[in-house]
């Protein structure tokens, strides 16, 4: 079960809450420097930047772009039963729940991000899954 983040929706939430738009790069850096649930895919609207036609990996995070279709349509196509989608978009929420996905608001997701600590920030998990990060994320949500 994975996590899919509606990138442009989360950027809009951050801009409204913090009064500034960190941009795509700022959002990706915030996620990369945090202990976030894995696997995590960030989906942005529009074409991929030059040199990344199929998306890209940012450490532990996959980044993809919707191209000519909407990010909402791509997210809907990606979500599988048990996946968690991060969005505040009501229509997308309903569509993902129809596919037996879970939905978390950007506020809850962002408030659950914690900075990576010491050695954790330097060495990736050999399996690509950091069980401790997941446990802490869900413990804070209760």
């Amino acid at each position: 079960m994975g996590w899919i983040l509606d990138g442009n929706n989360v950027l809009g939430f951050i801009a409204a809450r913090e009064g500034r738009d960190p941009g795509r790069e700022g959002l990706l850096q915030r996620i990369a420097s945090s202990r976030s649930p894995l696997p995590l895919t960030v989906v942005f609207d529009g074409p991929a930047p030059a040199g990344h036609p199929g998306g890209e990996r940012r450490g532990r995070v996959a980044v993809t772009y919707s191209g000519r279709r909407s990010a909402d349509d791509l997210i809907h196509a990606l979500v599988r039963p048990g996946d968690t989608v991060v969005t505040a978009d009501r229509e997308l929420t309903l569509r993902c729940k129809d596919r037996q996905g879970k939905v978390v608001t950007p506020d809850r997701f962002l408030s659950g991000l914690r900075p990576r600590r010491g050695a954790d920030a330097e060495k990736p998990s050999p399996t690509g899954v950091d069980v401790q990060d997941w446990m802490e994320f869900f413990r804070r949500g209760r």
Side-chain angles (χ1 to χ4, degrees):
M1 289 173 258
W3 287 71
I4 304 168
L5 191 136
D6 183 352
N8 291 79
N9 185 271
V10 173
L11 284 172
F13 173 83
I14 293 170
R17 183 175 78 176
E18 297 177 3
R20 65 176 188 81
D21 179 357
R24 291 177 177 183
E25 194 61 38
L27 174 60
L28 294 173
Q29 287 176 6
R30 183 181 293 195
I31 291 169
S33 66
S34 302
R35 291 181 287 153
S36 59
L38 296 172
L40 176 65
T41 300
V42 180
V43 178
F44 289 114
D45 281 298
H52 300 284
E56 57 188 298
R57 291 226 37 104
R58 295 288 188 99
R60 309 163 344 156
V61 177
V63 182
T64 191
Y65 303 87
S66 65
R68 292 184 177 158
R69 65 199 290 194
S70 74
D72 290 359
D73 287 345
L74 178 57
I75 291 167
H76 181 253
L78 292 173
V79 73
R80 300 289 176 254
D83 284 349
T84 302
V85 176
V86 180
T87 189
D89 183 299
R90 290 182 186 153
E91 182 181 332
L92 180 58
T93 294
L94 294 173
R95 292 174 69 193
C96 291
K97 286 183 176 181
D98 282 346
R99 295 194 68 147
Q100 300 175 345
K102 302 170 195 164
V103 177
V104 171
T105 64
D107 185 40
R108 182 165 179 216
F109 178 80
L110 292 168
S111 66
L113 292 180
R114 297 289 181 255
R116 298 190 67 71
R117 287 181 269 173
D120 289 346
E122 298 301 319
K123 65 175 186 181
S125 167
T127 63
V129 175
D130 191 332
V131 175
Q132 187 63 33
D133 286 351
W134 276 90
M135 290 173 61
E136 288 180 31
F137 183 85
F138 284 109
R139 187 173 24 253
R140 284 189 303 270
R142 293 187 183 246

